[in-house]
Amino acid sequence: MSRLSVFAARLRSLLLRDRAERQLDDELRFHLEMQIEDNIRRGMSPREARYDAMRSLGGIESMKEQYREGRGFATLEAFLRDIGYAARTLRRNPAFTAVAIATLALGIGVNAIVFTVTKAALFAGFPMVEGNDRILYISSGRGCCASYPDFEDWRAQSKSFTNMAIVHGSGRLITDKNGFAESYDATEVSADTFRLIGRGPLLGRDFNRPDEVPGAPPVAILSYGLWERRFGKDPAIVGRPIRMNGAAATVIGVMPQGFSFPQKQDLWVPLVPTPEVRKRDARDTWFVFGRLAPGATIASARAELEAIGRRLGDAYPLTNRGRNLIPYVQTFNEFFFFGNENTVYWSMWGAVGFVLLIACANLANLTLARAIGRSREISVRIALGAGRWRIVRQLLIESLMLSSAGAVLGGGIARWGVRAWEVADKGPGRSSWRVLDYSMDYRVLAYLIAISIATALLFGLAPARRLFRLDVNGTLKDGGHGASGGGRGRHLSSLLVGGEVALAVILLAGAGVMVRSFLKLYNADLGVNTANVLTMTINLPHAKYPKPEAQIEFYERLSKRLEAIPGVEGVALSRNVPTGGSAKSACEFSDNPSADAQSRPILSTLTVGEEYFRTMGAALLSGREFSNSDQAASNPVAVVNRAFAAQYWPGENPLGKRLRLYDGKTPELWRTVVGVAPDIAQNGPMRRDPVVYLPFRQHAAANLDVMARTRVPPATLAMAFRRAMQAMDSELPIFGPFTLDTRLEPNYWSKGLYGVLFLILAAIALLLASVGIYAVIAHSVSRRTHEIGIRIAIGGTAGDIRGMVLRQGMIPLGIGVTIGLIAALGVNRILKSLLVEVSPGDPVSLSIACGTLVLAAVLGCLIPARRAVRVDPVVALRHE
Amino acid sequence: MAKTSNDPAAKAEVLQGTLVLLVLRTLEALGPLHGYGIARRIEQISKDLLHLNQGTLYPALLRMEQERWITSEWGASENNRRAKFYSITCGGRKQLEIETQDWERMRATIDRFLGSLA
């Protein structure tokens, strides 16, 4: 039996389909004519003869179908024909097609956006790094960091990694020939870091071993961004000398566009292992990365490093022994994303899943309505011999075509949305330091295809199920309406509406608590007046300002110079801006001395300059603030805040009490409390921790924030501040100037971003759900025009009719809202870790969620209800 | 779908198998014939014994043509109409031989089976 000849014959007939079809018609017509003639010859009447001939041939259409299936590649050919038919059907219903595609595009689009974003955070690795899923982060203990000698030992002893690199973040100040200094994010990297991650420079050369020998001439590799911004893409940049941290250095290369490692970086310099660096216990901000060897897994690498760690613990008990120093291997996601951030991504994914389900429910309802409307057409086709499967396949192909169109459009929406997310995720200033891979790669494409097929099946199968119950005879006799519209179809569509209402309620409730939580955070009173403040962070290099006296002198001169700038009202010094955090030290009270180090409370301390509280708009509750008279040599003093006083001296007057802080294990001098300050949110917008304030002259610091209250918009003074700094010391690394509001933004932007995102998703859900209700009710009203006409004719009032229509919508709405509310109470608990002072079952958010939905749904019902009321009984009845 | 086209035996084994045999034998005996002619001929010979569902004839002819047991050609019919004439090929004659043997063997088996029960 020659398969090949069959194949060839089928291929031919596929290509010459029209001709084959004509020939089949000819052949069958010939057969019929011959039979009819024979029958007549045998004495039948022409009519009888024709009828007999048709009957003896059996169902002509189904035979043709069978013939076609034998003729060519049945499935493919039928598929092509179905596509053509589906395209015609869809083109005939432009309104339905447009609504369906738009709904799907929206649903699929948000899914693709969130998939891309989630992929970047949870599954992808470092962008633009070769085999980035094999690049792992290794630290001493589960937290962070490692020491340089640890790194050397791990690298030498481990077989699970082909190589390791160590990097260390540090600022670098680049001065141009005009003496204008700007500080950049630099990372010191071991020489083969870029080789480890498989990315070489775009221009120039990579670092080599000789670059990291102590005493080697300083070199730097620039990021593309820095090359562009600072050096105007100078093609002759390689070999160009620059001044970096006050010393001469040479640019040896530029990295490709978009590349950064391990975080957002402006430039890279070699990590030189000086004796200072090589201390075993110096586990500062050193990050070790390794490339997993072929065949090794994260688990095997973890086990191996743990064993190495134990050996090192035995070899260096003083610095390497201890459970929290056992090396630990982390993935990109574990390194960059912490607990509740993962929750955000998973819940976003859940949320878009809900949106897509709502979209599916809507479409299922629309197609169901159409299927009911098409009962007659479909019954005719079945009566003519089309198999039910054939019809189901036809409907599924229609759904698939819609969902593919939706996917294409949704892909476009996603492209735009991911870009918008990328911009939003960058955040203000330098708050987002992560580099994430937002590329829409083959995985996104596969996901798009998968969800569009799943979607098509979901909404295409609902009407298909009905087909198997379709009573062909009944439908044909009935004229295609009436019976088939009611019963099961209406139950199913009510069920779908109820379901989408429930999902929308869950989304609205989730968005509600997220937004409310953001508002709480945003509206939280920080305890200071944040308007009109310009800030600048200064870090005095130890080499140039080694002594506290020099630091004090510098900041005093700077304050005077800044105060002299027109528009400046006052200048305050502080170790950190409000919400920016504080130092911690153990504290002891003179009226309750604790000899035992364990029992001393660990408290927040903040060094501030004179007039700090007045300048920040936080007038003292009692006592005085630090002044010019609190010199290093004078009586040590402190100011405590209200939370401190309430916790440690409840009901007592704190003024005159004495306390002392500990620098590690060494006690400092006893300080007298001279003032009580109001609570300022120093450790975070929602925190009111006890804080001890120390006068700047008695507790000098090299690193201070200068905050100036201005009479004019603060940003307008930025240039004047820069010039003042340049005049003081042109090679000082400074951060800013920024307005205080800009500095505070990082507190809010991520919560704001998530809140807005959930709100957008909830809004889409709300829109889809109310459109869904509207469509179902409108469709039912249009089908029941006849019935409504009768009701009006026999005396039904407008109120009756309106009530009848509304009731039909209210039942699924009520059930949906109830189920949604119950589910929301559970689902919101997932968001708990993201919420600020809002409970997951927050009644305000939940009632707003339900209220909004009910309002939108009632609106959706009212429009068709009005139409129902306006039905003219005469027209409606004659219509029949 | 695919089942009925690739494996006609699945639906009605004997009938389908016999149909091929009958068609090939008819074409061998009578020379080129159109579909209606084949149907008439089969019915004439076996009038009371076999009722041919004419609807199955054309798909079977198609299949036999794909297998190259028969060929077809458009030509003028006895009453001068355009009709498709089928004729048996070499492969068809071989197939007829095989089918005939198969049928004989089957008949012998059934006979033996019925005989042994008696």
Side-chain angles (χ1 to χ4, degrees), chain B residues 67-82:
Chain B
E67 299 282 7
R68 294 197 183 151
W69 298 333
I70 55 175
T71 57
S72 68
E73 207 176 8
W74 287 89
S77 72
E78 52 275 27
N79 55 4
N80 236 346
R81 276 198 211 135
R82 219 170 82 87

Side-chain angles (χ1 to χ4, degrees), chain B residues 33-89:
Chain B
L33 261 185
H34 46 68
Y36 181 70
I38 297 172
R40 291 295 304 160
R41 182 70 188 162
I42 291 174
E43 282 183 340
Q44 271 170 11
I45 290 178
S46 60
K47 188 119 211 171
D48 301 318
L49 302 165
L50 199 66
H51 175 76
L52 175 65
N53 174 5
Q54 298 182 355
T56 60
L57 176 65
Y58 288 95
L61 284 173
L62 173 72
R63 191 171 130 70
M64 290 161 71
E65 196 180 351
Q66 284 176 350
E67 299 282 7
R68 294 197 183 151
W69 298 333
I70 55 175
T71 57
S72 68
E73 207 176 8
W74 287 89
S77 72
E78 52 275 27
N79 55 4
N80 236 346
R81 276 198 211 135
R82 219 170 82 87
K84 197 176 185 183
F85 284 87
Y86 295 91
S87 46
I88 191 162
T89 64

